[in-house]
Amino acid sequence: MNQPSTPLLTTEETPRPGDSYVQSFARGLAVLRSFGAEAPQQTLSDVAERAQLTRAGARRILLTLLQLGYVEADGRLFRLTPKVLDLGYAYLSSLPVWTQAQPLLEELMQALRQSCSATVLDGDDIVYVVRLSAHRTMSINLGIGSRLPAYCTSMGRVLLSGLAPDALRARLSKMALLKITPATKVDIEALMEEIAQVRRQGWCLVQEELEQGLIALAAPVFDRAGHVVAAINVSGQTAGPSVAQLMEHSLPKLLETASRVSALVRVQQ
């Protein structure tokens, strides 16, 4: 899913340069983040516009990244290189729990014949740390590092359920709540009620709010202190198992796997 092009760092969010903030480093990250599915390769002008930089500033950063091997140039076009993956895998390798948890998720996928994923919350989005596809369930390709809006996804609502009500309301009020499908909930009060229910029952079912024809069931992963630190889910097409079948057959296995992953997380702490 392509997200709308917005400034990567707004004026309000930008800290002032000082001993605790290196502006040039922040600008370099903004340049890296300016690339994506909707902009896999860009001209210098494109990068400057998307990263909210001057052409001169964008040029200096691109040339630095070029020398370091994080971007490559083809005439006037720049694109990322596979070396950028080192940055993301540094995060995953620092959390070996996901390497250990993957076999549990593979067992779940094989048992249910449904795609299975694990995500963490990052700002307004969920970020995939494990993605196992039993079959094509969505019109977009998802993999490790992919991001989706938290408010309209099963795993996102599970992760948001870990926030205190005041913090949740503040988070939702700052999100761009877009009506992605006719079923997408965008009213803050409705979302507050929905997420409160997720918190009480310990799982979340979302039907066709992210994409028409898609149904997903998610459960939380807890740390030793009982905080929600991740979510796992199974997903499929509405033309597949009915909601009743999902609740009867998929939910118990999903909750069992979430409990086993939570145990792994506690051991790592």
Side-chain angles (χ1 to χ4, degrees), residues 119-121 155-163 198-199 219-232 262 265:
T119 63
V120 295
L121 186 65
M155 289 185 287
R157 288 182 184 165
V158 162
L159 291 164
L160 291 172
S161 74
L163 300 177
V198 171
R199 188 183 299 116
V221 172
F222 298 99
D223 65 9
R224 187 177 296 174
H227 300 137
V228 178
V229 293
I232 66 172
S262 295
V265 170

Side-chain angles (χ1 to χ4, degrees), residues 53-161:
L53 299 173
T54 64
R55 280 176 53 87
R59 180 178 182 276
R60 287 194 298 271
I61 292 169
L62 281 170
L63 291 178
T64 300
L65 293 171
L66 187 66
Q67 292 184 40
L68 294 174
Y70 289 104
V71 303
E72 60 186 10
D74 182 7
R76 297 175 59 247
L77 294 175
F78 294 88
R79 55 178 170 262
L80 300 180
T81 71
K83 189 174 182 179
V84 172
L85 293 173
D86 292 345
L87 304 176
Y89 281 109
Y91 166 76
L92 290 175
S93 63
S94 70
L95 297 172
V97 64
W98 293 115
T99 300
Q100 299 170 19
Q102 182 155 337
L104 300 180
L105 299 181
E106 288 175 346
E107 286 181 25
L108 181 62
M109 179 186 71
Q110 293 299 329
L112 299 178
R113 300 296 179 184
Q114 293 174 303
S115 296
C116 184
S117 306
T119 63
V120 295
L121 186 65
D122 183 32
D124 296 347
D125 300 331
I126 58 172
V127 180
Y128 282 74
V129 292
V130 178
R131 173 64 178 170
L132 303 171
S133 183
H135 43 74
R136 187 69 176 269
T137 58
M138 299 182 66
S139 62
I140 56 174
N141 290 320
L142 295 173
I144 293 175
S146 294
R147 307 174 75 94
L148 290 174
Y151 72 95
C152 60
T153 54
S154 63
M155 289 185 287
R157 288 182 184 165
V158 162
L159 291 164
L160 291 172
S161 74

